[in-house]
Amino acid sequence: MDSLERVYYVEDEPDIRIIAELALVQVGGLQLKMGATGETAIEDIRQFSPQLILLDVMMPGLDGPATLKRIREHKEFDDIPVIFLTAKVQSDEVRELKSLGAIDVIPKPFAPLTIADMLKKIYADWAAAAS
């Protein structure tokens, strides 16, 4: 399995998208495509072919869990791991999000200087376990 290079992130907050771009692209050296809504995710994922998908949990319209459900309706996306980013990180909430198929849950606000390394490690651990 290759190392993590391409990440797709659905986040409705413009300020967080700016921070994520700086953190993941400038600091982390990743290729990043972002969407502002869950509704745009399927076409974006099809065009970008990410290795990892990040989903905000609380969004207007399709929230993160509903977006994940919609992504999983497309068999060609079954092997793309998903991580939720959320301010709600009580153990029961994390357990619920993982039960939906997420490989991990990262608390918001995230640390811009370390988020890319964290994603790379989570991805590497997932890939090792999957092989």
Side-chain angles (χ1 to χ4, degrees):
M1 180 76 54
D2 298 330
S3 60
L4 182 61
E5 296 175 3
R6 291 181 325 281
V7 175
Y8 178 69
Y9 183 18
V10 181
E11 171 61 62
D12 64 309
E13 292 292 332
D15 292 347
I16 296 175
R17 286 198 305 271
I18 291 168
I19 293 166
E21 183 167 11
L22 288 170
L24 298 176
V25 177
Q26 302 301 320
V27 175
L30 295 168
Q31 295 173 42
L32 177 68
K33 179 163 179 65
M34 287 186 282
T37 68
E39 286 83 0
T40 63
I42 298 302
E43 195 53 41
D44 285 348
I45 292 166
R46 187 169 281 123
Q47 291 176 4
F48 185 61
S49 298
Q51 294 166 283
L52 179 71
I53 298 169
L54 301 176
L55 294 176
D56 182 22
V57 171
M58 294 184 294
M59 298 184 288
L62 278 182
D63 65 4
T67 301
L68 176 56
K69 184 173 189 284
R70 184 168 286 180
I71 290 168
R72 292 298 183 230
E73 290 171 358
H74 297 265
K75 295 297 177 208
E76 69 266 34
F77 304 146
D78 276 352
D79 60 343
I80 304 173
V82 171
I83 296 174
F84 283 113
L85 284 94
T86 182
K88 296 181 157 209
V89 289
Q90 298 297 323
S91 59
D92 58 328
E93 294 163 327
V94 170
R95 198 169 31 255
E96 173 66 24
L97 291 171
K98 285 185 174 182
S99 77
L100 300 175
I103 63 168
D104 213 333
V105 177
I106 295 176
K108 284 166 80 176
F110 54 82
L113 295 178
T114 60
I115 183 84
D117 287 340
M118 182 185 302
L119 293 178
K120 289 173 186 177
K121 179 177 183 340
I122 293 168
Y123 182 80
D125 290 348
W126 170 83
S131 61

